[in-house]
Structures are given as structure tokens and as C-alpha cells.
Amino acid sequence: MKVFCGRANPTTGSVEWLEEDEHYDYHQEIARSSYADMLHDKDRNMKYYQGIRAAVSRVKDKGQTALVLDIGTGTGLLSMMAVTAGADFCYAIEVFKPMADAAVKIVEKNGFSDKIKIINKHSTEVTIGPDGDMPCRANILITELFDTELIGEGALPSYEHAHRHLVQKNCEAVPHRATVYAQLVESRRMWSWNKLFPIRVQTSLGEQVIVPPLELERCPGAPSVYDIQLNQVSPTDFTVLSNVLPMFSVDFSKQVSSSTASHSRQFEPLASGQAQVVLSWWDIEMDPEGKIKCTTAPFWAHSDPEELQWRDHWMQCVYFLPEEEPVVQGSALCLVAHHDDYCVWYSLQRTSPEKDGRAHPARPVCDCQAHLLWNRPRFGEINDQNRTDQYVQALRTVLKPDSVCLCISDGSLLSILAHHLGAEQVFTIENSAASHRLMKKIFKANHLEDKINIIEKRPELLTPADLEGKKVSLLLGEPFFTTSLLPWHNLYFWYVRTAVDRHLAPGAVVMPQAASLHMMVVEFRDLWRIRSPCGDCEGFNVHIMDDMIKHALDFRESKEAEPHPLWEYPCRSRSEPQQILTFDFRQPVPLQAVCAEGAIELKRPGRSHGAVLWMEYHLTPDSTVSTGLLKPAEDKGYCCWNPHCKQAVYFFNTTLDPRVPPGGPQTITYTVEFHPHTGDVTVDFTLSDALDRGC
């Protein structure tokens, strides 16, 4: 059965209605899931297996029947571990139907159908009784409901309900306990992901400073955690202000509460500085004695950094304090962790909240619009003074005293730069109400509300009256648009340039004047795991899961690139970067497809896990901004990526080991095509030995 789905095209800006398979969303969720990453997490699997064996043994030693409830079973792996460990029966709950169907097949394939019952429901819908899903309550509770924040996937409400309705009092639980840790730091880099810094602009009249609105400075920020691969943040990027503090623990063998709560820890700062950021992670103890522990700690807080397990399904958390606060070395303070049923947030207080009787503060919510419009990397991008200086230098070469400028980007400060550098008149188009409100606040804070005209409408609806009857002599864009996920989605600038063509003066300048798409074949240190088949996991056959993911990928996803911030995912280049397409913004979008073919030579030994693509914007003939590789790869191929942008990754379906042969470099041929009607970029790859790389 086919269904029509509406979607906003991020490149063209139009709303499209597509005929999709009725299960397309299932295919997409499976293809983009972290199931493979979890199955490759050897540390997680081993610790769960050890904890399950110990829990079953404790129940058996009491002479009891071991009845297991496995909430969020996924592949059924933990239930199969439990039966192998001696459990008498397992009730495995999985709400996602395609996954539940796969679990049934996996359990059957491994010969456990008589001991494991897959229940395709949410755990809160499971019934107990003679005619229910389970005849009686379980005495062993196994779960893997955790995300990077521990509780973000609803672990607390699920546990709360399970203890009230599905398991026996004081049951065995695997994991038995979780503890959340925090460390207070000062970090200009990380703080730049949350606040707008003053931005300095050198003009003919001297230095001008773009200041943030007071409302933005006081805003507590976005309510969501920033989860990142904290191991990729250099220790030189932050100053530690506290020891690692255990903030709170949850005992999963007892009744759990999902109510809002606060937990404070008094500490003495290790150094004086500005308290800005809380780094956080957790560990889970699989047994009551705490001998079997799985941790997400970063390398500097890990008990054995040499045994550090890479994983992407659990990372580390960056939380921003509502505002930065000065701290003095040795002067006692309280760090307070607050949480509700799904979120954690932090505050810094002079005294314990328990002592002063303060109520739990509400979850922080953005009221300045900036955190709704700009994500954390975008904040960092705007705060990058070197990047601003590059745009200023390029603007100086194209601006004239009589320039009439039209700026096209979401929430960009280019319009302010153009004004300060001497443009006669500046207009800026803000598509969304949020960007309109934010820019209005920024202009007012800088006394520019009467100097820069904001136009809140779609570019194709622009009229001469909106431009006060003037023709645009300079069209500007970063380009940045909040709807963009993949690098070429920001080609929306080209479509807008085409839509406003009739408003451009003869000889009008467009900046950037062009863009180019670049590509490089890479070997990932770890990221390949999210697309690598698992086969057998801890002795259990999970090929059915591999096949399901492959089928979902073959449905469409394998032909599409995935956005990844590669500064978090180290890789080595196997080829030199290569320009594969160009886009001339001085001309309207062409009616015909833009195609190119070529070959990439693999010059370094290693595995070819995929190809990375990124855009470079040519502001002027002498100035280029890259959203990908920032400098040539080192001799060994290690890459330095733009930390403010996500790059596009095409994962190769097969993970072969094409080493550089003695006779010369191997090549991967490609065909790339830009489709003007849809704004899509498609790439197909073929190895030189004719093995299909399936992209």
C-alpha cells in the first residue's frame, strides 16, 4: 500500500508530496537506529551477561523459579542471555513492531522460543493474570532503557510502572544501580555553544562591537542536553573547577520515582574562574556489590583509560549553567542536579537547597528565541571571530558606498557587517517568525532597528515595495538555513537567488559567488561500527537483525548520505580531497541536471569505510570558506574538520580491505549528479575491480 507524505524540501524550499511505502518511517527508523552500535558494544554486552548470570544465580540459590521481565528487549539478546544463564522463563517487551517481529525470529533461530515470549506492547500496557500477557509478576527485571542522559528515553516512568505492576517487591534488577556524575568546568569553547559573544568589526570609522541583547545573556538556554563525544574535546579547551562529583543514584531493584527531584553536592573549587559548564556521565552497576560496572566516563575520569570502549549510543553530556558565575578556589559551593521524568539540568548555589527550603526550579526554557533558532554548533560558528574576519575582508572587496544589500540566511549577522562596512541600505529576509523576532532584538540592542530593514516573507513573494522600489546591487548569504541537514541543503541560497533575480540591478554582485562540492574517501577509527553487520553477538546468532537493517538500508537509506560532525569521529583520508561539482551563484539555477564523473585514487593503505562530502563557498575569487576539511590531511592521513558543521557521509555497503597494491594505487570511480528540480545530490560509487560499493 502506498501513502502520500508531505515534506518541506530543505534545498528548494518547496513543499513536496511524495508517494511512499506505508512502512517507510519504519525503514527509516531501523536504518538510522543504533542497534548495530549497541551489538558491537563488547563492554556493554559482557557486563550485562555477567550481571544476568549473577542475578539468576541469586534467585536460584533461594530455591525460587527465575522469571525474567526484559523491558525494551530489542533483538532479544538479554533475554537469551538470561535463559542461557538458567532463567526458567523470560517475558521480553518490545514496543517497536518491526523490532519485535525480528526478535521473535532471532529467538526462534537460537532455539529459545519455548523459554522466551516476545510481547509487542509498551511496558505500561502489559497485563498480569491468567488471561494476561504474564501469568504473574517477575522476580528479575532486566532493562536497557538508557540514553546518553540516562533518563532521556523515559527510563524512570518505565521503572516506576514496572515496580508497581509487573515485578515482585525487592526483585533482582540488572542493572542494579545507576549513578550520575558531574564535573564543573570553565570553557570558552563550550560556552560559545550557548551564548552570543561580543563580535568585533574593524571599519573605516574604527572598531564596532556587535553586542548581544540583554535578554539573550540572561536566557537559561535550551532545555535539551548537548550530547557529544567528550573524548574528542581537548583538555586544553576547558579548566576543571571541581572534582568528579557523584550527583545522584537510582536503585533499580526498588520502587523508582519519576517525580521532579534535586540532589546537591557541596564542593570546594579546585581553581578560581568562571563556572560555565557541567560535564556529566553515568555508570551502571550490574550487581548489588558494584563489582560489575559499565561506565560512560570520558578518558580522564575512566578507571582504566586503556580499556575505554567507543560507543555512539551512549556518549557524554554537556550542560550549560543558566549564567556564568565566578568561583573562588577553596570557597565552598553546592552543585545541584535537578531532574524530572525525562530531563536533567544543573544549577550552582551558595548553600544547599535542602537548607534554604528552595523549591525545585523549573526546567530551563529558552525565552530569547536564539536557542530555538540556532543550534549549539551554530552558536559556535557565529562566535568564531576568525570566520567573521574572513567575511568582513570579503565584504570590503565587494561593498561600495552606494550598495543596496539584501541578506539571505537564517538569523545571520551579515546584514550588520554590511551596515558597519558602509552599505547605503541593508535589507534582510527572515523566513520564520523566530528569526524575525531574534534579529529585531539584536538590531535594537545595537541601535540598528532603523538602519536595517527586516522583511518577513518567503523570498519568492518579495515585491519592489518591500525593497522601497530599489534594485539590489549586492546579494549576500553565508549561506546558513536552519532546515539544512546535509551540506548541499544550503544550496537553498541558489534557489532564493533565482527567485529574487528580477530584483537584482544590472551587474549585481552575489556573495558567495559560487560553491563547490568536495569528496574524500576515508577510513574511520570507530564510526564504521554503526553500519557494520554484527553476525554473532556473545555467542548468539543475530544475523536476522543484520538482514533487517540491510533491507531497511536497501529500501532507500543506503543511497542517501548521513550528516555527522566529523570533528567528533576521527578518520584517516585514503585519498586526496577532490572537487566533484561546482555551482555558479552568479547565474540562476539551471533547468538541466549538473553531472560529473571521475575517479578517486586510494593513495594510503587501510579500509575504505565511506566517502565524506562537504561544501566550500567561494565568497570572492580570493576568499573561500570550507564546511569540511580545514587544512590538508597530515602525512598519516589524519583530518581536521570544521567543528561548526556536519559533513555528509556515504557509508560503503561492503567493508573490504582495498590496500594499495604494489602495482599502483587503486581507484574508486564515481558518478555525481545535482538534480535542480528536487535539489538532491546523488552519488554512485564503483571500485576499479568492478565490485559494487552499493552507495
Side-chain angles (χ1 to χ4, degrees), residues 181-198:
Y181 298 89
Q183 191 166 33
L184 187 68
V185 304
E186 175 181 353
S187 173
R188 179 175 176 82
R189 180 187 178 189
M190 287 187 263
W191 195 239
S192 77
W193 299 337
N194 184 56
K195 298 290 184 181
L196 179 62
F197 294 171

Side-chain angles (χ1 to χ4, degrees), residues 599-619:
I600 295 184
E601 292 186 347
L602 304 181
K603 295 187 174 182
R604 293 185 180 92
R607 294 182 179 272
S608 296
H609 290 130
V612 178
L613 284 78
W614 67 93
M615 297 288 288
E616 295 190 358
Y617 293 102
H618 309 288
L619 307 183

Side-chain angles (χ1 to χ4, degrees), residues 549-604:
I549 293 176
K550 184 178 184 303
H551 175 65
L553 287 167
D554 288 344
F555 181 78
R556 177 181 297 167
E557 301 296 320
S558 65
K559 297 180 176 61
E560 297 181 349
E562 294 184 17
H564 289 282
L566 292 188
W567 74 267
E568 294 184 51
Y569 302 101
C571 62
R572 293 174 59 252
S573 64
R574 293 214 58 216
S575 71
E576 295 302 319
Q578 190 162 320
Q579 180 175 305
I580 59 174
L581 276 185
T582 58
F583 312 95
D584 188 351
F585 296 156
R586 293 168 296 186
Q587 303 297 325
V589 175
L591 299 177
Q592 296 78 29
V594 180
C595 307
E597 294 181 350
I600 295 184
E601 292 186 347
L602 304 181
K603 295 187 174 182
R604 293 185 180 92

Side-chain angles (χ1 to χ4, degrees), residues 130-318:
D131 298 322
D133 299 304
M134 300 168 56
C136 61
R137 292 180 178 235
N139 55 8
I140 300 177
L141 175 59
I142 300 173
T143 61
E144 210 281 53
L145 301 171
F146 314 117
D147 66 350
T148 293
E149 201 173 15
L150 183 72
I151 66 172
E153 291 184 359
L156 294 183
S158 296
Y159 272 112
E160 187 174 41
H161 177 272
H163 277 288
R164 286 179 178 170
H165 303 285
L166 303 178
V167 297
Q168 298 174 17
K169 186 177 181 181
N170 296 323
C171 68
E172 294 288 344
V174 183
H176 179 82
R177 182 188 298 106
T179 301
V180 172
Y181 298 89
Q183 191 166 33
L184 187 68
V185 304
E186 175 181 353
S187 173
R188 179 175 176 82
R189 180 187 178 189
M190 287 187 263
W191 195 239
S192 77
W193 299 337
N194 184 56
K195 298 290 184 181
L196 179 62
F197 294 171
I199 297 170
R200 304 183 183 281
V201 185
Q202 299 298 329
T203 74
S204 59
L205 300 177
E207 183 180 78
Q208 299 287 336
V209 181
I210 304 172
V211 298
L214 190 60
E215 186 177 348
L216 198 158
E217 289 190 304
R218 292 175 175 172
C219 180
S224 58
V225 65
Y226 190 17
D227 53 340
I228 66 171
Q229 294 282 357
L230 200 53
N231 288 314
Q232 298 308 312
V233 176
S234 171
T236 60
D237 281 332
F238 60 91
T239 301
V240 171
L241 299 180
S242 78
N243 289 316
V244 176
L245 305 172
M247 296 307 301
F248 65 92
S249 295
V250 183
D251 186 335
F252 297 126
S253 69
K254 299 177 181 178
Q255 182 61 57
V256 171
S257 173
S258 62
S259 300
T260 301
S262 295
H263 310 270
S264 65
R265 290 291 179 269
Q266 190 175 60
F267 71 99
E268 292 187 359
L270 301 176
S272 298
Q274 291 292 322
Q276 299 168 325
V277 174
V278 175
L279 309 180
S280 182
W281 56 89
W282 49 262
D283 61 35
I284 45 179
E285 296 169 359
M286 300 298 182
D287 61 323
E289 295 78 23
K291 295 179 180 178
I292 309 169
K293 184 181 292 187
C294 183
T295 181
T296 63
F299 68 87
W300 66 86
H302 201 284
S303 57
D304 188 359
E306 295 298 320
E307 297 297 322
L308 197 68
Q309 169 75 50
W310 184 88
R311 45 174 70 99
D312 205 44
H313 58 105
W314 297 333
M315 293 186 279
Q316 293 81 37
C317 302
V318 173

Side-chain angles (χ1 to χ4, degrees), residues 79-100:
S79 288
M80 292 189 293
M81 288 179 176
V83 171
T84 304
D88 294 283
F89 203 86
C90 292
Y91 299 93
I93 301 171
E94 176 55 52
V95 68
F96 185 42
K97 189 176 189 310
M99 195 67 247

Side-chain angles (χ1 to χ4, degrees), residues 359-373:
H360 303 308
R363 183 194 303 180
V365 176
C366 171
D367 54 19
C368 74
Q369 307 297 317
H371 301 90
L372 303 179
L373 183 68

Side-chain angles (χ1 to χ4, degrees), residues 2 7 13 36 60 90 109 127 145 156 160-161 170 223 228 251 265 267 383 397 462 494 569 620 642 672:
K2 299 289 186 179
R7 68 158 189 163
K60 289 290 190 177
C90 292
K109 180 75 172 178
T127 56
L145 301 171
L156 294 183
E160 187 174 41
H161 177 272
N170 296 323
I228 66 171
D251 186 335
R265 290 291 179 269
F267 71 99
N383 285 321
T397 67
L462 198 66
W494 202 9
Y569 302 101
T620 67
N642 187 321
V672 59

Side-chain angles (χ1 to χ4, degrees), residues 308-462:
L308 197 68
Q309 169 75 50
W310 184 88
R311 45 174 70 99
D312 205 44
H313 58 105
W314 297 333
M315 293 186 279
Q316 293 81 37
C317 302
V318 173
Y319 296 96
F320 305 99
L321 293 176
E323 56 186 356
E324 60 181 350
E325 298 185 42
V327 299
V328 178
Q329 183 177 3
S331 182
L333 292 169
C334 282
L335 183 65
V336 188
H338 314 273
H339 74 80
D340 54 20
D341 48 352
Y342 283 90
C343 287
V344 179
W345 63 98
Y346 285 86
S347 65
L348 192 63
Q349 300 180 10
R350 301 294 166 181
T351 59
S352 171
E354 290 86 355
K355 291 182 179 179
D356 62 20
R358 237 183 294 186
H360 303 308
R363 183 194 303 180
V365 176
C366 171
D367 54 19
C368 74
Q369 307 297 317
H371 301 90
L372 303 179
L373 183 68
W374 299 332
N375 58 22
R376 274 64 178 259
R378 176 60 174 167
F379 265 98
E381 188 172 53
I382 292 174
N383 285 321
D384 187 337
Q385 186 67 50
N386 290 333
R387 181 177 181 274
T388 297
D389 292 344
Q390 189 171 0
Y391 274 92
V392 168
Q393 189 61 37
L395 272 170
R396 285 198 182 104
T397 67
V398 295
L399 264 176
K400 297 178 181 178
D402 61 350
S403 288
V404 176
C405 300
L406 177 61
C407 299
I408 303 168
S409 287
D410 287 347
S412 173
L413 302 185
L414 270 182
S415 57
I416 301 180
L417 300 184
H419 170 77
H420 283 324
L421 291 173
E424 179 181 288
Q425 193 159 6
V426 181
F427 300 89
T428 181
I429 292 180
E430 300 295 341
N431 271 328
S432 71
S435 62
H436 182 272
R437 287 194 293 268
L438 173 61
M439 297 312 296
K440 194 172 182 180
K441 292 174 184 177
I442 293 175
F443 293 160
K444 184 175 181 180
N446 290 276
H447 311 292
L448 299 174
E449 61 266 45
D450 298 327
K451 307 289 179 59
I452 301 174
N453 299 299
I454 305 177
I455 303 170
E456 186 186 353
K457 61 168 52 176
R458 292 187 59 81
E460 63 269 22
L461 302 179
L462 198 66

